[in-house]
Amino acid sequence: MTEWFQGTLGYGFGWFVATLILILMIALPLMLAVAMIIYADRKIWAAMALRRGPNVVGPFGLLQSFADGLKVFLKETIIPSGANRGLFIIAPIITFTVALIAWAVIPFGPDMVLSDINVGLLFLLAASSLGVYGVIIAGWASNSKYPFFSALRAAAQMVSYEVSIGFVLIPVILWAGTFNLGGIIAAQESHVFFLNGFGFNPLLFPMAVIFLISSMAETARAPFDLTEAESELVAGYQTEYSSMSFALFWLGEYGNVLLMCALNATLFWGGWLPPIDWEPLYAIPGIFWLFLKIFLFFFIFSWVKATVPRFRYDQLMRLGWKIFLPISLLWVGIVSGYLMIDRYGALS
């Protein structure tokens, strides 16, 4: 498509138009998906609490998220008199934007990726770690006690679990031999007998579990939602926000949740590959398998939020620094040692 636009509109402008169209082809469905998973989230919580959940607006309540979006859009944006006005406004924009840019390197199928860069995994780590800046700026710019405490918690929580995630990903990179996400998915084909996915490997399965739990902490989902602990901090960094600025935080949060679900599927469970290396399954488009896995992980996120009580803050930090970090660091040595023995004859 890019070549056609470049031939029609000129090299520079054609590239710009083609790239803009590709960005919209990802961003617009993602916004629709966020609206739908908010609805799914509420339905799953309701089912686990033996309630109905949204069931009034539209058939089966499907339009509830859009009604909520219209409601916040029509409300007044209130900025506290003591707040730093510029930073207060820009904070939710940062959170929302960072949640979108990370999708640029997520492969939806063979050759179905906006930016197929060789360091895609490094780009994802960099982009996902930027999301905390929106929270920190929001907490500081609000000039309020509880949002500021929330910002401090968010910074500590991000650092704690970003370190573990980095070590968790090293065995995946070593096994696949590339930072390119498409290459990582390709390396998972028939990885264990006829199963597609690093998660089926006994050596990498513990890393898949740690990554799943760390991704919940990274996105501040329950039981790690200490940044928004309503019993302690009212609504955390969102306390002073209203109208569309509040909605942008929600969109950014759920966009990050979807991103982490996609990363779990991509790095450990075969991405667009079918779970079993059986020829008839490849007739189904790879994007279907990826979306199915994303929804499965999102169900796990919702399940945990509906059933697991919130950690205390000291428990949150202990899990990250005293359990996940030593285990992931140890596992880097185990996996690298195994690969040295298996591929290079170890000490020969």
Side-chain angles (χ1 to χ4, degrees), residues 200-269:
F200 296 109
N201 185 328
L203 269 180
L204 294 179
F205 178 74
M207 296 295 96
V209 174
I210 291 178
F211 186 82
L212 175 61
I213 299 172
S214 297
S215 60
M216 293 180 189
E218 188 87 353
T219 53
R221 290 279 291 190
F224 305 100
D225 54 341
L226 274 298
T227 58
E228 306 168 31
E230 69 280 351
S231 59
E232 307 160 29
L233 303 180
V234 187
Y237 61 92
Q238 303 175 21
T239 301
E240 306 294 346
Y241 281 87
S242 60
S243 186
M244 281 306 294
S245 54
F246 178 79
L248 286 177
F249 274 125
W250 266 73
L251 291 172
E253 178 185 333
Y254 276 92
N256 279 323
V257 169
L258 276 179
L259 176 67
M260 284 300 172
C261 292
L263 277 179
N264 274 281
T266 298
L267 297 174
F268 290 99
W269 302 101

Side-chain angles (χ1 to χ4, degrees), residues 26-38 41 92 94-104 106 108 124 127-128 131 215 218-221 237 246-264 294 298 301:
I26 295 174
L28 295 181
L30 179 62
M31 291 299 96
L32 178 63
V34 165
M36 288 294 98
I37 67 163
I38 292 174
D41 218 7
I94 292 173
T95 300
F96 175 70
T97 304
V98 169
L100 285 181
I101 63 173
W103 286 89
I106 296 293
F108 296 94
L124 272 173
S128 63
S215 60
E218 188 87 353
T219 53
R221 290 279 291 190
Y237 61 92
F246 178 79
L248 286 177
F249 274 125
W250 266 73
L251 291 172
E253 178 185 333
Y254 276 92
N256 279 323
V257 169
L258 276 179
L259 176 67
M260 284 300 172
C261 292
L263 277 179
N264 274 281
I294 289 175
F298 181 75
F301 272 58

Side-chain angles (χ1 to χ4, degrees), residues 22 26 103-117 181:
L22 290 172
I26 295 174
W103 286 89
V105 295
I106 296 293
F108 296 94
D111 302 319
M112 290 179 63
V113 58
L114 177 62
S115 182
D116 189 22
I117 57 177
L181 291 174

Side-chain angles (χ1 to χ4, degrees), residues 37-218:
I37 67 163
I38 292 174
Y39 166 80
D41 218 7
R42 296 172 68 181
K43 276 291 191 183
I44 292 168
W45 300 341
M48 292 188 177
L50 299 179
R51 296 184 288 105
R52 287 178 178 243
N55 64 342
V56 176
V57 185
F60 308 105
L62 285 168
L63 300 180
Q64 182 66 56
S65 295
F66 300 100
D68 293 340
L70 179 63
K71 179 180 69 175
V72 296
F73 180 75
L74 296 175
K75 286 184 177 290
E76 178 186 2
T77 298
I78 299 172
I79 301 177
S81 57
N84 184 311
R85 187 180 183 88
L87 293 178
F88 186 86
I89 293 173
I90 203 172
I93 298 173
I94 292 173
T95 300
F96 175 70
T97 304
V98 169
L100 285 181
I101 63 173
W103 286 89
V105 295
I106 296 293
F108 296 94
D111 302 319
M112 290 179 63
V113 58
L114 177 62
S115 182
D116 189 22
I117 57 177
N118 288 331
V119 289
L121 195 53
L122 291 180
F123 174 86
L124 272 173
L125 284 175
S128 63
S129 64
L130 289 175
V132 73
Y133 283 100
V135 177
I136 294 173
I137 291 172
W140 185 84
S142 295
N143 194 25
S144 182
K145 177 172 62 176
Y146 291 136
F148 185 66
F149 287 159
S150 173
L152 293 178
R153 284 185 172 190
Q157 186 169 325
M158 174 67 70
V159 171
S160 301
Y161 286 87
E162 196 80 25
V163 173
S164 297
I165 284 179
F167 282 119
V168 163
L169 295 181
I170 290 175
V172 174
I173 297 165
L174 290 173
W175 215 296
T178 179
F179 284 93
N180 182 279
L181 291 174
I184 290 173
I185 293 174
Q188 297 180 59
E189 189 170 353
S190 296
H191 181 66
V192 178
F193 301 114
F194 52 86
L195 299 173
N196 296 330
F198 286 147
F200 296 109
N201 185 328
L203 269 180
L204 294 179
F205 178 74
M207 296 295 96
V209 174
I210 291 178
F211 186 82
L212 175 61
I213 299 172
S214 297
S215 60
M216 293 180 189
E218 188 87 353

